[in-house]
Amino acid sequence: MAAANPWDPASSQSAAGLLLNHLVASGIVTKEMLDVSKKMAPCFVNFSRLQQISDIQAEIYQNNLELELLKLEKDTADLIHPSCLTEKCDVLQSMNNHLEAVLKEKHAIRQRLRRPMCQENLPLEAVYHRYMVHMLDLAVTFIEKFETHLETVRNSPHLDANLQKISKALAKMDILVNKTEELAENILKWQELQTEMSLSIPRMLTEERHLHELAVVPPLPFFPKAHTETPNAK
């Protein structure tokens, strides 16, 4: 049942109502002022909405908390879930039974391990024979390369030093390659020069022979002029 508005003079004659009637009668408070005071302020109108928002936020927080609990339960299911614990217990029980059997046959197993295994056939099902053949091929290949693998393992700590040596050797090889290229160019130039000389030698010999022939030719004989006598000479 809604409570009576104490600001309404028409409500039951309470102390507040009597006071308001007296104030209206004396002219201190008017009817209009009382009507204005009945209207709720805007801040009070939003109180219900704020309460609803608070309730919704509390519900969201509760749902998030339940979701975190479910995730935690999922992550720890293998530790606390009964079915997972039962499966683990079964596995542990099987291992325990196997260990008990091994301990019971400890003496026989120890004696068997002391005996050599040479010239004995190991029981192997037929479906695994081809895999066994492939494994033997791999074992033979591994044994053949075992020394190489050991050498690689031994040299692995000195890998940096070996790389430095290889770098220095490569630098020296580059220098030698450059010198070899220069030497090859010099050899080609020398060959060209020798070819030019071999072509010029016959010409030089021909010229020298020609000069020699010119030097060997005897000079022409010299004949003095005959003196003719003139009539005046007598």
Side-chain angles (χ1 to χ4, degrees), residues 125-140:
E125 296 181 8
V127 293
Y128 299 113
H129 285 181
R130 57 176 181 174
Y131 302 108
M132 191 65 188
V133 172
H134 181 63
M135 188 181 71
L136 289 176
D137 292 338
L138 295 177
V140 171

Side-chain angles (χ1 to χ4, degrees), residues 53 68 107:
I53 293 172
E68 292 294 331
H107 181 71

